[in-house]
PDB file of all heavy atoms in Angstrom:
ATOM      1  N   ASP A  13      40.319 -17.415  73.212  1.00 81.00           N
ATOM      2  CA  ASP A  13      39.708 -17.677  71.905  1.00 81.00           C
ATOM      3  C   ASP A  13      38.891 -16.477  71.435  1.00 81.00           C
ATOM      4  O   ASP A  13      38.979 -16.063  70.271  1.00 81.00           O
ATOM      5  CB  ASP A  13      38.821 -18.922  71.968  1.00 81.00           C
ATOM      6  CG  ASP A  13      39.629 -20.211  72.039  1.00 81.00           C
ATOM      7  OD1 ASP A  13      40.846 -20.150  71.733  1.00 81.00           O
ATOM      8  OD2 ASP A  13      39.054 -21.261  72.387  1.00 81.00           O
ATOM      9  N   LEU A  37      40.215   4.837  68.235  1.00 79.00           N
ATOM     10  CA  LEU A  37      38.916   5.433  67.930  1.00 79.00           C
ATOM     11  C   LEU A  37      37.799   4.409  68.044  1.00 79.00           C
ATOM     12  O   LEU A  37      36.688   4.719  68.482  1.00 79.00           O
ATOM     13  CB  LEU A  37      38.928   6.044  66.522  1.00 79.00           C
ATOM     14  CG  LEU A  37      39.476   7.462  66.390  1.00 79.00           C
ATOM     15  CD1 LEU A  37      39.462   7.900  64.934  1.00 79.00           C
ATOM     16  CD2 LEU A  37      38.675   8.436  67.242  1.00 79.00           C
ATOM     17  N   LYS A  40      37.169   3.828  71.681  1.00 78.00           N
ATOM     18  CA  LYS A  40      36.434   4.989  72.194  1.00 78.00           C
ATOM     19  C   LYS A  40      34.954   4.901  71.790  1.00 78.00           C
ATOM     20  O   LYS A  40      34.062   5.225  72.575  1.00 78.00           O
ATOM     21  CB  LYS A  40      37.067   6.263  71.632  1.00 78.00           C
ATOM     22  CG  LYS A  40      36.349   7.542  72.014  1.00 78.00           C
ATOM     23  CD  LYS A  40      37.009   8.734  71.339  1.00 78.00           C
ATOM     24  CE  LYS A  40      36.202  10.006  71.588  1.00 78.00           C
ATOM     25  NZ  LYS A  40      36.783  11.165  70.858  1.00 78.00           N
ATOM     26  N   ASN A  51      28.985 -12.105  75.538  1.00 63.00           N
ATOM     27  CA  ASN A  51      30.199 -12.912  75.710  1.00 63.00           C
ATOM     28  C   ASN A  51      31.460 -12.191  75.249  1.00 63.00           C
ATOM     29  O   ASN A  51      32.413 -12.816  74.787  1.00 63.00           O
ATOM     30  CB  ASN A  51      30.060 -14.247  74.967  1.00 63.00           C
ATOM     31  CG  ASN A  51      28.882 -15.052  75.453  1.00 63.00           C
ATOM     32  OD1 ASN A  51      28.596 -15.118  76.650  1.00 63.00           O
ATOM     33  ND2 ASN A  51      28.177 -15.679  74.523  1.00 63.00           N
ATOM     34  N   THR A  55      31.144  -8.162  66.812  1.00 83.00           N
ATOM     35  CA  THR A  55      30.482  -8.707  65.626  1.00 83.00           C
ATOM     36  C   THR A  55      30.668  -7.767  64.440  1.00 83.00           C
ATOM     37  O   THR A  55      30.946  -6.562  64.613  1.00 83.00           O
ATOM     38  CB  THR A  55      28.974  -8.885  65.885  1.00 83.00           C
ATOM     39  OG1 THR A  55      28.390  -7.585  66.077  1.00 83.00           O
ATOM     40  CG2 THR A  55      28.722  -9.763  67.101  1.00 83.00           C
ATOM     41  N   ILE A  66      30.884   9.254  62.575  1.00 68.00           N
ATOM     42  CA  ILE A  66      31.726  10.390  62.174  1.00 68.00           C
ATOM     43  C   ILE A  66      33.194  10.091  62.432  1.00 68.00           C
ATOM     44  O   ILE A  66      34.062  10.418  61.627  1.00 68.00           O
ATOM     45  CB  ILE A  66      31.311  11.668  62.937  1.00 68.00           C
ATOM     46  CG1 ILE A  66      29.897  12.079  62.537  1.00 68.00           C
ATOM     47  CG2 ILE A  66      32.282  12.802  62.647  1.00 68.00           C
ATOM     48  CD1 ILE A  66      29.735  12.425  61.072  1.00 68.00           C
ATOM     49  N   ILE A  76      43.643   8.713  53.943  1.00 74.00           N
ATOM     50  CA  ILE A  76      43.777   9.049  52.522  1.00 74.00           C
ATOM     51  C   ILE A  76      44.612  10.313  52.350  1.00 74.00           C
ATOM     52  O   ILE A  76      45.494  10.383  51.484  1.00 74.00           O
ATOM     53  CB  ILE A  76      42.387   9.219  51.874  1.00 74.00           C
ATOM     54  CG1 ILE A  76      41.677   7.870  51.782  1.00 74.00           C
ATOM     55  CG2 ILE A  76      42.496   9.854  50.494  1.00 74.00           C
ATOM     56  CD1 ILE A  76      40.245   7.951  51.288  1.00 74.00           C
ATOM     57  N   GLU A  81      49.569  13.025  50.698  1.00 79.00           N
ATOM     58  CA  GLU A  81      50.690  13.896  51.046  1.00 79.00           C
ATOM     59  C   GLU A  81      52.014  13.191  50.800  1.00 79.00           C
ATOM     60  O   GLU A  81      52.965  13.780  50.280  1.00 79.00           O
ATOM     61  CB  GLU A  81      50.602  14.318  52.517  1.00 79.00           C
ATOM     62  CG  GLU A  81      49.718  15.505  52.771  1.00 79.00           C
ATOM     63  CD  GLU A  81      49.861  16.001  54.195  1.00 79.00           C
ATOM     64  OE1 GLU A  81      50.328  15.232  55.058  1.00 79.00           O
ATOM     65  OE2 GLU A  81      49.506  17.168  54.441  1.00 79.00           O
ATOM     66  N   LEU A 106      55.311  11.386  39.083  1.00 90.00           N
ATOM     67  CA  LEU A 106      54.168  12.273  38.906  1.00 90.00           C
ATOM     68  C   LEU A 106      54.667  13.644  38.476  1.00 90.00           C
ATOM     69  O   LEU A 106      55.440  14.281  39.191  1.00 90.00           O
ATOM     70  CB  LEU A 106      53.377  12.392  40.213  1.00 90.00           C
ATOM     71  CG  LEU A 106      52.900  11.076  40.831  1.00 90.00           C
ATOM     72  CD1 LEU A 106      52.165  11.341  42.122  1.00 90.00           C
ATOM     73  CD2 LEU A 106      52.024  10.310  39.873  1.00 90.00           C
ATOM     74  N   LYS A 119      55.529   7.693  28.751  1.00 92.00           N
ATOM     75  CA  LYS A 119      54.859   8.869  29.303  1.00 92.00           C
ATOM     76  C   LYS A 119      53.364   8.784  29.002  1.00 92.00           C
ATOM     77  O   LYS A 119      52.957   8.539  27.871  1.00 92.00           O
ATOM     78  CB  LYS A 119      55.447  10.139  28.686  1.00 92.00           C
ATOM     79  CG  LYS A 119      54.826  11.446  29.165  1.00 92.00           C
ATOM     80  CD  LYS A 119      55.216  11.752  30.597  1.00 92.00           C
ATOM     81  CE  LYS A 119      54.709  13.121  31.039  1.00 92.00           C
ATOM     82  NZ  LYS A 119      55.589  14.216  30.615  1.00 92.00           N
ATOM     83  N   GLU A 124      45.149  12.607  28.075  1.00 88.00           N
ATOM     84  CA  GLU A 124      44.766  11.462  27.252  1.00 88.00           C
ATOM     85  C   GLU A 124      44.091  10.368  28.076  1.00 88.00           C
ATOM     86  O   GLU A 124      43.631   9.367  27.529  1.00 88.00           O
ATOM     87  CB  GLU A 124      45.991  10.880  26.536  1.00 88.00           C
ATOM     88  CG  GLU A 124      46.560  11.809  25.476  1.00 88.00           C
ATOM     89  CD  GLU A 124      47.599  11.126  24.601  1.00 88.00           C
ATOM     90  OE1 GLU A 124      47.900   9.945  24.867  1.00 88.00           O
ATOM     91  OE2 GLU A 124      48.101  11.753  23.670  1.00 88.00           O
ATOM     92  N   MET A 125      44.026  10.564  29.397  1.00 92.00           N
ATOM     93  CA  MET A 125      43.402   9.561  30.255  1.00 92.00           C
ATOM     94  C   MET A 125      41.886   9.740  30.246  1.00 92.00           C
ATOM     95  O   MET A 125      41.389  10.853  30.413  1.00 92.00           O
ATOM     96  CB  MET A 125      43.935   9.676  31.686  1.00 92.00           C
ATOM     97  CG  MET A 125      45.419   9.409  31.818  1.00 92.00           C
ATOM     98  SD  MET A 125      45.981   9.567  33.550  1.00 92.00           S
ATOM     99  CE  MET A 125      47.770   9.439  33.321  1.00 92.00           C
ATOM    100  N   VAL A 126      41.158   8.643  30.037  1.00 91.00           N
ATOM    101  CA  VAL A 126      39.709   8.692  29.957  1.00 91.00           C
ATOM    102  C   VAL A 126      39.058   8.189  31.240  1.00 91.00           C
ATOM    103  O   VAL A 126      38.150   8.805  31.787  1.00 91.00           O
ATOM    104  CB  VAL A 126      39.196   7.859  28.763  1.00 91.00           C
ATOM    105  CG1 VAL A 126      37.682   7.881  28.708  1.00 91.00           C
ATOM    106  CG2 VAL A 126      39.797   8.355  27.461  1.00 91.00           C
ATOM    107  N   LYS A 139      45.148  -3.698  41.382  1.00 95.00           N
ATOM    108  CA  LYS A 139      45.468  -3.473  39.974  1.00 95.00           C
ATOM    109  C   LYS A 139      44.751  -2.217  39.512  1.00 95.00           C
ATOM    110  O   LYS A 139      43.548  -2.067  39.699  1.00 95.00           O
ATOM    111  CB  LYS A 139      45.036  -4.679  39.133  1.00 95.00           C
ATOM    112  CG  LYS A 139      45.421  -4.567  37.654  1.00 95.00           C
ATOM    113  CD  LYS A 139      44.968  -5.800  36.885  1.00 95.00           C
ATOM    114  CE  LYS A 139      45.752  -7.028  37.317  1.00 95.00           C
ATOM    115  NZ  LYS A 139      45.370  -8.233  36.534  1.00 95.00           N
ATOM    116  N   VAL A 150      48.094  -0.898  32.449  1.00 95.00           N
ATOM    117  CA  VAL A 150      47.752  -1.649  33.651  1.00 95.00           C
ATOM    118  C   VAL A 150      48.991  -1.805  34.529  1.00 95.00           C
ATOM    119  O   VAL A 150      50.072  -2.127  34.039  1.00 95.00           O
ATOM    120  CB  VAL A 150      47.195  -3.048  33.293  1.00 95.00           C
ATOM    121  CG1 VAL A 150      46.846  -3.816  34.560  1.00 95.00           C
ATOM    122  CG2 VAL A 150      45.971  -2.922  32.392  1.00 95.00           C
ATOM    123  N   PRO A 160      44.353   6.596  47.012  1.00 89.00           N
ATOM    124  CA  PRO A 160      44.919   7.950  46.942  1.00 89.00           C
ATOM    125  C   PRO A 160      45.507   8.284  45.577  1.00 89.00           C
ATOM    126  O   PRO A 160      45.307   9.386  45.071  1.00 89.00           O
ATOM    127  CB  PRO A 160      46.002   7.940  48.029  1.00 89.00           C
ATOM    128  CG  PRO A 160      45.540   6.914  49.000  1.00 89.00           C
ATOM    129  CD  PRO A 160      44.892   5.849  48.165  1.00 89.00           C
ATOM    130  N   LEU A 165      45.358  11.181  40.301  1.00 91.00           N
ATOM    131  CA  LEU A 165      45.298  11.156  38.837  1.00 91.00           C
ATOM    132  C   LEU A 165      44.013  11.807  38.345  1.00 91.00           C
ATOM    133  O   LEU A 165      44.025  12.588  37.378  1.00 91.00           O
ATOM    134  CB  LEU A 165      45.398   9.716  38.329  1.00 91.00           C
ATOM    135  CG  LEU A 165      46.716   8.994  38.606  1.00 91.00           C
ATOM    136  CD1 LEU A 165      46.642   7.550  38.119  1.00 91.00           C
ATOM    137  CD2 LEU A 165      47.893   9.703  37.939  1.00 91.00           C
ATOM    138  N   GLU A 195      47.798   7.650  11.103  1.00 80.00           N
ATOM    139  CA  GLU A 195      49.101   8.323  11.089  1.00 80.00           C
ATOM    140  C   GLU A 195      48.936   9.818  11.345  1.00 80.00           C
ATOM    141  O   GLU A 195      49.694  10.441  12.104  1.00 80.00           O
ATOM    142  CB  GLU A 195      49.808   8.106   9.742  1.00 80.00           C
ATOM    143  CG  GLU A 195      50.270   6.671   9.492  1.00 80.00           C
ATOM    144  CD  GLU A 195      49.129   5.734   9.108  1.00 80.00           C
ATOM    145  OE1 GLU A 195      48.020   6.226   8.789  1.00 80.00           O
ATOM    146  OE2 GLU A 195      49.346   4.507   9.137  1.00 80.00           O
ATOM    147  N   ARG A 200      49.027  14.745  14.770  1.00 74.00           N
ATOM    148  CA  ARG A 200      48.331  15.898  15.355  1.00 74.00           C
ATOM    149  C   ARG A 200      48.269  15.805  16.880  1.00 74.00           C
ATOM    150  O   ARG A 200      48.182  16.822  17.559  1.00 74.00           O
ATOM    151  CB  ARG A 200      46.936  16.020  14.764  1.00 74.00           C
ATOM    152  CG  ARG A 200      46.979  16.377  13.290  1.00 74.00           C
ATOM    153  CD  ARG A 200      45.611  16.774  12.782  1.00 74.00           C
ATOM    154  NE  ARG A 200      45.637  17.029  11.355  1.00 74.00           N
ATOM    155  CZ  ARG A 200      44.586  17.420  10.664  1.00 74.00           C
ATOM    156  NH1 ARG A 200      43.425  17.579  11.274  1.00 74.00           N
ATOM    157  NH2 ARG A 200      44.664  17.641   9.371  1.00 74.00           N
ATOM    158  N   SER A 222      42.199  32.926  10.917  1.00 78.00           N
ATOM    159  CA  SER A 222      41.069  32.743  10.002  1.00 78.00           C
ATOM    160  C   SER A 222      39.784  32.439  10.754  1.00 78.00           C
ATOM    161  O   SER A 222      39.781  31.672  11.715  1.00 78.00           O
ATOM    162  CB  SER A 222      41.357  31.596   9.027  1.00 78.00           C
ATOM    163  OG  SER A 222      42.502  31.880   8.257  1.00 78.00           O
ATOM    164  N   GLY A 229      35.037  25.887   4.236  1.00 85.00           N
ATOM    165  CA  GLY A 229      34.241  27.057   4.552  1.00 85.00           C
ATOM    166  C   GLY A 229      33.582  27.021   5.918  1.00 85.00           C
ATOM    167  O   GLY A 229      32.819  27.911   6.277  1.00 85.00           O
TER     168      GLY A 229
END
Side-chain angles (χ1 to χ4, degrees):
D13 286 344
L37 275 178
K40 176 183 174 184
N51 301 320
T55 65
I66 295 298
I76 290 174
E81 276 189 340
L106 305 179
K119 179 71 175 277
E124 292 191 357
M125 297 180 188
V126 178
K139 184 180 292 183
V150 180
L165 295 177
E195 291 76 13
R200 293 192 184 182
S222 299

